[in-house]
Amino acid sequence: MADIATRVYDHKWKIDPIVRSLIDTDFYKLLMCQSIFRNRPDTQVTFSLINRTKTIRLADLVDEGELREQLDHVRSLSLTRGESTWLRGNMFYGKRQMFRPDFMEWFEGFRLPPYHLEKRDGQYVLTFEGNWPEVMMWEIPALAVLMELRGRAVLKDMGRFELQVLYARAMTHLWEKIERLRGANSPRIADFGTRRRHSFLWQDWCVQAMMEGLGDAFTGTSNCLIAMRRDIEAIGTNAHELPMVYAALANSDDELRQAPYRVLADWQEEHEGNLRVILPDTFGTAGFLEHAPDWLAAWTGVRVDSGDPVEGAEMAIAWWKSRGEDPRDKLVIFSDGLDVDAILALQARFAGRVKVSFGWGTLLTNDFRGLVAGDGLAPFSLVCKAVSANGRPTVKLSDNPTKAMGPAAEIAHYKQVFGVGAQVARPVLV
């Protein structure tokens, strides 16, 4: 087990880079990349960094030269032979050859494309443009680099003993959470914390703690590199990126309304079982479920990722019942800003009514709240999203309007097309 405090004290990026592998990314990115490689390989997409927490002025905290060094290092990475063997031969979700040979041949020769970086009003403007399968792979490493550099900036003046005490406190804090979660009725939990982790080393430690503390109730990690190294399940399905881009490519309002279902039709051609999980909130969960084709009701489950989680799960249960499905055979995955209290409350509410699992993200892998003066390590909301496709802006409505993105006129148009009325705004912590 790594001595994290000593590694932090001795940090030199060339011997301890923030991103150390192309598969130091979330599993869902690889699954989506394969689908895009097959169905929309020539779509031109722009991704952009978006800091929702404007009070965190990243350009004032993070040195531009160091940021460029880390981003350039990520561009130097390519798939190793061992990583290729794992992706080609490992069993994922009960399937031995998850990744097709044509996709693997492409990925084995892949390097991340160029980036554009500038400062503006105390923030970094970081964008990536090009073919969709290539630029989409920047999302996770870009976020991981910015999050860890912010942490390093806060920790850089701490002494060796101060760092030891800090990490001891953080470890104790996490272990106390694990003790509250474990027991005869332990919730089923996966690590979803790669994007906004404190650091790679800390995420790896958190995963090992969850493995020991929760046993079989810990179902795996979204991080492919950690899954490979720790010999545990790689967890993930799909994300808002797919319907956002498909929708931007629509040439009529009817095509726009059908875009979220076209995404899942393409997905169904490739995947079965527990990979058939619906993410319905991109343009509003209520409308999505109301107009969903009957074949989607046979899918395994639904992921609730914005809005009121209780309301989202209740809508899914009611929808399954209306389509003649037994919710007790279905799965609801909660994944929005979770911490222990919410996990335990949701587990208790839906026990016996539907299968429940949790994707625990930032507050698993980056909860240093109250551990340094000024709370300078508190997590914040940083995302990297597709903002245009073939020159057209993308839109996300979400069940929480605080998370909506896109030009105001386009948001209004999408709300009209998808029948989204008044929404209740919820604060976004992470």
Side-chain angles (χ1 to χ4, degrees):
M1 186 179 298
D3 179 351
I4 299 175
T6 297
R7 292 278 284 275
V8 170
Y9 184 78
D10 293 337
H11 261 325
K12 301 292 182 185
W13 79 267
K14 290 179 181 178
I15 61 173
D16 217 359
I18 290 173
V19 176
R20 53 206 73 204
S21 165
L22 268 185
I23 66 166
D24 181 12
T25 193
D26 281 337
F27 189 55
Y28 78 85
K29 293 300 290 190
L30 298 185
L31 292 176
M32 291 196 305
C33 188
Q34 176 171 248
S35 180
I36 293 162
F37 178 79
R38 175 187 180 186
N39 296 299
R40 306 284 177 120
D42 298 324
T43 302
Q44 298 298 294
V45 172
T46 299
F47 273 72
S48 183
L49 187 77
I50 302 168
N51 184 2
R52 293 172 176 155
T53 311
K54 301 301 183 185
T55 55
I56 305 293
R57 294 172 60 87
L58 285 174
D60 296 339
L61 288 169
V62 173
D63 177 75
E64 182 178 349
E66 189 172 3
L67 173 56
R68 288 185 181 277
E69 284 183 324
Q70 292 287 349
L71 294 174
D72 290 342
H73 172 74
V74 178
R75 289 199 65 210
S76 75
L77 296 171
S78 59
L79 208 61
T80 69
R81 182 176 298 178
E83 291 164 352
S84 176
T85 299
W86 182 72
L87 289 171
R88 283 179 178 271
N90 193 60
M91 184 174 290
F92 302 101
Y93 286 88
K95 185 176 180 180
R96 177 64 68 184
Q97 291 184 318
M98 181 68 74
F99 298 102
R100 298 189 313 274
D102 62 334
F103 172 75
M104 285 304 306
E105 289 173 8
W106 172 82
F107 194 40
E108 285 162 350
F110 174 70
R111 299 284 183 100
L112 281 161
Y115 60 87
H116 175 76
L117 177 68
E118 62 179 277
K119 291 182 178 180
R120 189 180 301 163
D121 300 326
Q123 301 294 344
Y124 280 114
V125 178
L126 179 59
T127 56
F128 315 95
E129 300 179 359
N131 290 338
W132 190 6
E134 297 178 2
V135 296
M136 68 174 294
M137 295 303 295
W138 260 118
E139 177 188 354
I140 307 301
L143 292 172
V145 164
L146 262 301
M147 295 300 294
E148 186 161 345
L149 284 179
R150 181 259 194 160
R152 290 186 181 190
V154 173
L155 300 175
K156 66 180 180 180
D157 294 326
M158 288 189 179
R160 186 183 300 273
F161 288 96
E162 191 175 9
L163 287 168
Q164 290 285 359
V165 171
L166 170 68
Y167 281 102
R169 288 173 175 166
M171 289 173 181
T172 300
H173 183 49
L174 175 57
W175 193 253
E176 288 171 347
K177 293 185 182 186
I178 291 172
E179 287 181 324
R180 289 185 61 198
L181 292 168
R182 66 181 176 179
N185 296 310
S186 292
R188 293 178 60 79
I189 301 176
D191 158 41
F192 275 20
T194 299
R195 293 187 304 156
R196 290 188 288 266
R197 67 194 182 195
H198 170 73
S199 70
F200 173 82
L201 295 175
W202 181 247
Q203 183 184 12
D204 189 38
W205 189 93
C206 292
V207 166
Q208 292 176 75
M210 295 283 281
M211 291 171 64
E212 180 174 317
L214 295 185
D216 291 341
F218 180 60
T219 58
T221 175
S222 65
N223 187 284
C224 297
L225 182 61
I226 294 175
M228 182 184 74
R229 289 184 175 181
R230 301 298 169 195
D231 194 24
I232 55 177
E233 291 288 338
I235 302 292
T237 53
N238 53 66
H240 301 107
E241 173 185 341
L242 289 175
M244 287 172 65
V245 173
Y246 273 52
L249 299 176
N251 292 314
S252 67
D253 285 354
D254 184 59
E255 285 187 16
L256 179 56
R257 275 187 290 269
Q258 292 302 313
Y261 310 120
R262 177 66 185 275
V263 167
L264 299 180
D266 286 348
W267 192 264
Q268 185 167 254
E269 289 185 8
E270 295 191 61
H271 301 300
E272 58 188 359
N274 285 346
L275 281 167
R276 290 187 179 176
V277 173
I278 303 165
L279 180 62
D281 70 319
T282 309
F283 308 120
T285 295
F288 177 95
L289 295 178
E290 180 182 353
H291 300 291
D294 288 339
W295 53 266
L296 269 177
W299 276 35
T300 300
V302 164
R303 179 157 72 92
V304 177
D305 193 58
S306 66
D308 184 324
V310 171
E311 183 179 329
E314 292 289 2
M315 278 195 287
I317 289 171
W319 175 66
W320 280 315
K321 288 180 177 179
S322 74
R323 301 299 178 96
E325 299 284 340
D326 187 344
R328 292 172 297 181
D329 297 329
K330 299 298 185 178
L331 174 66
V332 173
I333 302 171
F334 296 98
S335 61
D336 182 26
L338 296 173
D339 210 357
V340 175
D341 287 344
I343 291 171
L344 292 176
L346 291 166
Q347 169 88 350
R349 180 180 178 102
F350 292 102
R353 300 177 60 202
V354 69
K355 298 174 184 176
V356 171
S357 69
F358 301 89
W360 195 6
T362 307
L363 295 179
L364 168 63
T365 62
N366 197 2
D367 189 3
F368 284 70
R369 292 172 295 181
L371 297 184
V372 299
D375 219 12
L377 287 179
F380 64 104
S381 187
L382 186 71
V383 296
C384 184
K385 296 288 188 181
V387 296
S388 72
N390 285 355
R392 300 176 180 178
T394 61
V395 172
K396 179 185 176 188
L397 299 181
S398 182
D399 288 331
N400 179 3
T402 309
K403 289 187 171 183
M405 58 169 287
E410 290 296 323
I411 288 176
H413 178 222
Y414 273 59
K415 283 187 172 182
Q416 182 180 33
V417 169
F418 289 102
V420 176
Q423 293 178 293
V424 177
R426 296 167 59 89
V428 177
L429 174 61
V430 291

